[in-house]
Amino acid sequence: MGAHAAPARHRRALPRGTADDRHTMSWALPAGLAFVYGLYAGFLERGDGPTHWGDFWFGLVSGVVFGVLAYTLGRYQRALPRELRALAYGVLGGGSIGFLHSTAGGYSVLSSSVLGLIVGAAIGGAAFYAFYVHE
């Protein structure tokens, strides 16, 4: 009396350029986060004085770099095992917060690094937990 095994679930490979490949949230979420990140970076660079074009360009470049990194991580996250995926999210989050903290002015590199490590460890731990529970 052998029991039937459940059939394995296979994902059918879709050709490139289909609707699943161009999902709106795959680019909208990194773009929105990059916009907010760039605005905040430009605001922190401004300090107490008036806004200059240098502050605008600093915020724009910071936002674009963050957006490209977030989009790339979101695009290739499925290729990584959950440990490396969580580590990548922790590095992105911790590095971005540490950079913003150093931009604020008046803080040492050591304090920015420690804050980045703490935030990165928290984000990485939360991401690992979420990936572990959902897989």
Side-chain angles (χ1 to χ4, degrees), residues 3 7 34 42 53 79 89 102:
W53 280 105
Y89 275 105
S102 70

Side-chain angles (χ1 to χ4, degrees), residues 14-91:
L14 295 173
R16 212 156 160 75
T18 59
D20 288 346
D21 193 31
R22 294 172 284 150
H23 190 58
T24 304
M25 286 304 287
S26 69
W27 62 266
L29 184 62
L33 289 174
F35 178 75
V36 171
Y37 187 84
L39 242 96
Y40 193 58
F43 173 75
L44 288 177
E45 181 68 19
R46 180 178 64 96
D48 292 335
T51 303
H52 299 291
W53 280 105
D55 305 330
F56 168 76
W57 288 111
F58 181 80
L60 183 69
V61 170
S62 299
V64 166
V65 168
F66 178 79
V68 166
L69 290 174
Y71 176 77
T72 304
L73 179 59
R75 188 81 175 149
Y76 296 107
Q77 71 178 345
R78 296 284 181 199
L80 299 172
R82 75 184 105 156
E83 294 86 6
L84 287 178
R85 195 178 338 161
L87 179 67
Y89 275 105
V91 167

